[in-house]
Amino acid sequence: MASNIILFLKLLLSLFLSFILTIFITKKIIEISKQRNKVQIERQYLQNHIDKKGTPTMGGIAIVLSSVITFIIVNFMSPVNEGVLAVILGFIGFFLIGFIDDYLKVKIKSYDGLKASVRILLEIVISMYVILIPKSLIFLTSCSTLLI
């Protein structure tokens, strides 16, 4: 019972801390993006893209940074489940795909970032990692205990 309460309190702390960090980091990223003129490239022929003109890019940085920082703070000195670790690494992997896509769009000043086929392939690889790595870690752990 007490462990469930502790887990619940850790989850509440994580939610609150991540929310606060996201607000502060997002404000800073918007300021930096506007100063450096790193904004959304719009397609002139699409109405919803014209509405996005001037929107700062790379907002995912705030969400990922706050989530990872919160995860580290809340789980510091605690054992981490292999499945949770795989999900966090998958989360970071998907972030990196989006970051590279946005970076290419800003760098070449075009709406074309990563090719769709490359993006899908990378997402499949990361998804397979998230699905398979916990099982392989459990297998390796059980094999190493058998050898000892």
Side-chain angles (χ1 to χ4, degrees):
M1 178 72 174
S3 64
N4 288 341
I5 293 172
I6 291 171
L7 179 62
F8 178 73
L9 291 175
K10 281 176 77 171
L11 289 172
L12 276 179
L13 176 65
S14 297
L15 177 67
F16 178 74
L17 186 59
S18 184
F19 180 74
I20 297 300
L21 279 172
T22 300
I23 290 172
F24 287 115
I25 295 171
T26 300
K27 285 183 179 183
K28 196 66 178 164
I29 288 173
I30 289 172
E31 287 174 17
I32 292 169
S33 292
K34 286 184 176 180
Q35 286 172 355
R36 296 183 180 178
N37 200 26
K38 305 294 184 199
V39 294
Q40 185 78 35
I41 306 297
E42 76 280 347
R43 291 181 176 174
Q44 296 294 330
Y45 56 90
L46 295 175
Q47 181 60 39
N48 63 337
H49 281 254
I50 293 170
D51 296 341
K52 292 169 93 177
K53 185 175 183 172
T55 302
T57 58
M58 301 192 191
I61 294 172
I63 295 168
V64 171
L65 269 178
S66 65
S67 298
V68 171
I69 290 169
T70 301
F71 178 77
I72 292 169
I73 290 171
V74 172
N75 291 300
F76 187 72
M77 301 293 286
S78 298
V80 178
N81 181 311
E82 295 89 5
V84 172
L85 186 60
V87 169
I88 292 293
L89 292 175
F91 181 59
I92 293 169
F94 273 82
F95 159 73
L96 289 173
I97 293 170
F99 179 83
I100 292 167
D101 187 49
D102 280 354
Y103 178 78
L104 291 173
K105 289 175 186 176
V106 169
K107 186 76 173 171
I108 60 177
K109 297 195 185 306
S110 166
Y111 193 76
D112 302 322
L114 281 175
K115 290 183 180 178
S117 57
V118 173
R119 187 177 183 114
I120 294 291
L121 178 65
L122 290 171
E123 289 171 350
I124 290 171
V125 168
I126 291 170
S127 298
M128 294 305 294
Y129 167 79
V130 170
I131 292 167
L132 298 176
I133 201 68
K135 292 177 183 172
S136 65
L137 285 174
I138 292 167
F139 176 74
L140 290 174
T141 305
S142 61
C143 286
S144 64
T145 55
L146 290 175
L147 295 174
I148 296 176

